Amino acid sequence: MRSAGTVAELVQRQWGDHRPGLRHRDTVLTHHQVASGAAARAALLADLLSAGSEPHLGVLLDNTPEFPLWLSAAALAGAAVAGINPTRRGAELARDILHTDCRVLVTERAHLPLLDGLDLPGVRMLVTDTDAYAGLLAPYAGAEPGDTARPDIGPGTRMLLYFTSGSTGAPKAAICTQGRLAAAGQSLVDHFGVRREDVHYICMPMFHGNAVIADWAPALAGGATVALRSRFSASGFLDDVRAYGATYFTYVGRAVQYLLATPERPDDRDHPLRLGFGTEAGAVDAARFRERFGVRLVEGYGSSEGGAAIQRTPDTPERAIGRAPARDDLAVVDPETGEERATAVFDAAGRLVNGAEAIGELVNRGRTPFEGYWRNAAADAERTRGGWYWTGDLFFRDAEGFLYFAGRTDDRLRVDSENLAAAVIENILARWEDAAAVAVYAVPDPVAGDQVMAALTMREGTGFDPSAFAAFLAAQSDLGTKMAPGFVRIVPAMPVTATNKVHRVALRREGFWSGGPVWRRGPGGGYAPLGGEQLAALLGEYEAHGPGIQARAAIGDTAATRGGPH
C-alpha cells in the first residue's frame, strides 16, 4: 500500500476495517467505528466553524476516546487541533485558547472548573460527557469519511498547533501540517516494523507532541490498535499493558524513573510489551528497565518543531542517539560564536572526558522541515537565525559522527568559567543506586557564575548518606573537577510538568531550599547539613559580594525567616 500524503487519507483507510482500533477502559471501538465517529464530528465541526474564521479547535481533554476522535475529525475537516494543557490556569489558559484562534473548544466536565470566569469571546464550548453533546452529534451519525473529507486538503494543510514548553515567556504554538504528521507516522512504522496486530499504549498526555506524533500517528499509519490511559500511572502501567495486550509505548522525561521506582514483582517480565520509544530516560535507567522488564527502550530525537531529527541505526553506540540523516547537515556548535565544537573524547570506560570543549548546541545548517510558530514572527526568526535551525538542545559528537544528547541550552551551568551541561552530570549521578530521581540545576555563586545544585529523590527505604555519596562521586572517572554538586537537596518527589519532565523552572525558583534537607560540599569533598546558622552564613557570603535581593531570592527569604532546614 502506498504511503498516505495526508492524515485524512489515513483516517479514510479505517473505513470498513472491523478489527479493534481504539480501547479505553471497557470501551472498544473498531477502526471502522473510529472512522465513522470522526466523520460525524467532522460534519458537526464544518457546521460550527464560521466562514472566514481560522479552522482551529482547542481540545482540553484527558486521554479519552474523544481526543483521537477529534484529531481524526479535524483531519477530515481540514482543521487544526490545539492541544490545551490542563495544568495552565486563569489568564494563561485563556491566552492559549485565544492565541491559537480556537473557535471551538472540546472539553469534559472534569475540566469545566478551569474555565469558570474566563473571558473567551467567540469560542463555542462542547462538553463531551453530557447529554447535550450526544444530542448535538446525533444528526450526523450517518456521515462517512469520504463525504466529510474536504476536497482541498493536502500535505500543507495545518493539522496541529501544539505548544512547546519554555523556561521564559508564553508557550509558542508550533505548526505541524498533515503531510509532516503522516510522514512522521510512516517513518516510525518503517523504522520499528509496526504491525497491524500491534497495540500502541498512549499514557503520555495527548496535548503534547510526543503522544500524537510518536504514538498515535504510527498506529494510524500502520493500522495498529490504540489503547489509552487517561493519565499516566506508574502503578497501573503493567496492569494496563497486560489488559490491552500493549506492544509499544512512548515516554517523556521521568516516566521511566517512576516505573523503576515501583515495587519489583516476580511477574515483571510477564507481558507482551516489546519496545518503548522516547527521550530523557538516560543510559543507566534504560539498562535497568531492560534488565527488570525485558523491554528495550529506544532513545530518539526529533525537535518538537520538526527542524532537526537524528536517525538511529543498528551500529549506534548504546549511549548515543544516532547520526544525522543523509539529507540533513547537523552540527554541534558554540551557541555564541557558531563555531563547531571539538570531537568528543572518551576514556576506557566510554565516558566523556572533554565535555567543556565538546558540548554545544545542535543546529541544522541545511533544509529544515520547520513550519513555524503560529503568529510569532519573532520566535520564528530566533529559531532560524543566520539561516540555520537552532534546536535549543545540547549535544556532543564522536569521531564516527554519532550524536549524544546533553540537555537543553537553558540547563547550562557556568562554573569557574567552565560551561557544563546539567544532563551530563545527571547521567553520572543516576548511577548511584540509592537515588530514584536526579535533577541538576544552577544556583548563583557568591562571586560570579554558578554552582552545581543536585536535587535527589531517594529510593524507598533509603536515606541520604553523605559519606556514601561522596565516595560514589570520587569513584566516577568522568566526573569533571567542576561537576561535583556544591549543594544537594533531598526532595520527597521531583517536581514535574504535565508531560512528566522535570520542572526545572520550579527548582530554579526554589533555589537552595524549599523545606527539605540541604547538604553542602566542603573543601575535602564531604557533605555537611546546611542548618539555620550555616544558611545565615551562606547568605552573608552573598551579601558580602553585593548580589543582595537576587541572592535572597535564590536562597529563599522564607528559608532565612524560618531558620532553614534542620
Side-chain angles (χ1 to χ4, degrees):
M1 183 181 295
R2 69 176 181 84
S3 297
T6 65
V7 179
E9 289 180 56
L10 294 174
V11 174
Q12 291 180 74
R13 286 182 183 179
Q14 293 181 292
W15 187 257
D17 184 346
H18 298 285
R19 298 175 303 114
L22 179 61
R23 300 189 62 182
H24 176 253
R25 297 176 182 166
D26 296 330
T27 298
V28 181
L29 299 179
T30 67
H31 290 281
H32 180 85
Q33 288 173 317
V34 170
S36 175
R41 287 158 179 78
L44 169 62
L45 185 61
D47 286 346
L48 292 179
L49 292 173
S50 58
S53 65
E54 296 292 350
H56 297 173
L57 67 148
V59 177
L60 176 60
L61 294 170
D62 289 339
N63 289 358
T64 65
E66 289 289 343
F67 210 127
L69 283 170
W70 274 103
L71 283 171
S72 299
L76 294 175
V81 170
I84 306 300
N85 184 343
T87 66
R88 303 270 283 172
R89 294 292 185 271
E92 291 183 340
L93 179 61
R95 177 264 173 197
D96 292 349
I97 298 167
L98 297 177
H99 171 68
T100 45
D101 294 310
C102 294
R103 294 294 174 261
V104 175
L105 178 64
V106 181
T107 190
E108 55 193 308
R109 285 183 295 177
H111 291 322
L112 288 180
L114 302 178
L115 302 168
D116 283 348
L118 297 189
D119 185 18
L120 299 172
V123 178
R124 173 71 180 268
M125 195 177 305
L126 306 181
V127 185
T128 59
D129 48 352
T130 62
D131 292 339
Y133 176 74
L136 196 62
L137 267 178
Y140 303 94
E144 297 185 8
D147 298 331
T148 57
R150 275 180 35 187
D152 58 340
I153 293 171
T157 302
R158 280 194 303 276
M159 174 70 208
L160 301 176
L161 297 170
Y162 54 96
F163 289 100
T164 61
S165 59
S167 59
T168 59
K172 303 179 288 291
I175 297 169
C176 179
T177 59
Q178 289 210 26
R180 180 156 76 89
L181 185 57
Q186 187 60 50
S187 175
L188 290 174
V189 167
D190 297 339
H191 191 67
F192 291 132
V194 176
R195 305 162 301 192
R196 285 162 57 86
E197 58 268 29
D198 278 330
V199 177
H200 283 214
Y201 178 55
I202 302 181
C203 55
M204 296 293 102
M206 292 195 74
F207 67 78
H208 187 253
N210 168 274
V212 175
I213 297 172
D215 215 341
W216 179 73
L220 186 65
T225 301
V226 166
L228 301 174
R229 174 84 187 196
S230 296
R231 295 187 181 184
F232 173 75
S233 167
S235 61
F237 180 84
L238 274 184
D239 290 338
D240 275 358
V241 164
R242 295 186 182 108
Y244 292 134
T247 57
Y248 170 97
F249 79 107
T250 61
Y251 59 88
V252 177
R254 299 302 166 191
V256 169
Q257 288 186 342
Y258 298 146
L259 292 170
L260 289 170
T262 59
E264 293 190 25
R265 294 173 9 185
D267 60 351
D268 276 343
R269 284 174 168 248
D270 182 16
H271 57 75
L273 198 63
R274 62 184 174 89
L275 180 69
F277 177 53
T279 61
E280 301 178 26
V284 173
D285 285 337
R288 289 173 178 167
F289 197 87
R290 186 165 191 169
E291 179 181 353
R292 176 174 167 184
F293 299 108
V295 178
R296 181 169 66 104
L297 297 184
V298 176
E299 286 281 294
Y301 179 83
S303 67
S304 300
E305 296 86 345
I310 296 174
Q311 192 171 64
R312 191 173 187 89
T313 53
D315 58 338
T316 300
E318 181 181 5
R319 294 183 176 87
I321 303 297
R323 283 192 179 104
R327 68 179 183 275
D328 291 340
D329 179 15
L330 302 187
V332 178
V333 304
D334 185 304
E336 297 177 0
T337 67
E339 295 180 359
E340 286 204 49
R341 304 296 277 161
T343 299
V345 176
F346 303 96
D347 64 13
R351 296 170 176 175
L352 180 69
V353 297
N354 67 331
E357 296 79 27
I359 295 172
E361 184 170 352
L362 183 71
V363 298
N364 188 349
R365 300 182 298 197
R367 187 182 65 83
T368 171
F370 173 56
E371 296 173 308
Y373 297 110
W374 180 250
R375 299 195 189 285
N376 198 332
D380 287 349
E382 174 64 20
R383 184 64 73 187
T384 58
R385 61 189 185 275
W388 295 354
Y389 177 86
W390 296 75
T391 66
D393 292 318
L394 299 174
F395 275 81
F396 52 94
R397 191 177 210 157
D398 68 18
E400 303 299 319
F402 289 105
L403 292 157
Y404 300 70
F405 182 67
R408 296 282 301 167
T409 54
D410 291 341
D411 299 328
R412 284 181 297 173
L413 303 86
R414 189 164 180 82
V415 179
D416 290 342
S417 300
E418 183 173 322
N419 291 317
L420 305 175
V424 172
I425 304 174
E426 288 175 352
N427 288 338
I428 295 172
L429 300 187
R431 299 170 192 155
W432 194 37
E433 293 187 354
D434 286 351
V438 176
V440 167
Y441 61 99
V443 291
D445 184 270
V447 181
D450 305 316
Q451 292 194 38
V452 179
M453 168 67 82
L456 304 179
T457 300
M458 306 306 295
R459 294 194 181 279
E460 188 174 354
T462 66
F464 180 71
D465 183 336
S467 298
F469 184 67
F472 160 78
L473 294 179
Q476 307 311 304
S477 62
D478 54 342
L479 187 75
T481 58
K482 312 295 184 184
M483 292 182 180
F487 299 90
V488 175
R489 281 178 55 190
I490 307 303
V491 296
M494 201 66 68
V496 294
T497 66
T499 55
N500 293 308
K501 294 182 178 180
V502 170
H503 201 325
R504 298 184 187 282
V505 175
L507 288 172
R508 293 191 195 104
R509 286 172 181 162
E510 292 170 353
F512 288 85
W513 184 69
S514 64
V518 179
W519 303 75
R520 188 180 191 183
R521 189 170 189 257
Y527 287 85
L530 194 63
E533 293 182 3
Q534 294 89 345
L535 188 61
L538 179 63
L539 181 58
E541 292 181 37
Y542 282 84
E543 293 293 354
H545 291 91
I549 295 175
Q550 183 178 358
R552 288 183 184 275
I555 296 174
D557 287 331
T558 54
T561 301
R562 297 173 186 170
H566 296 279

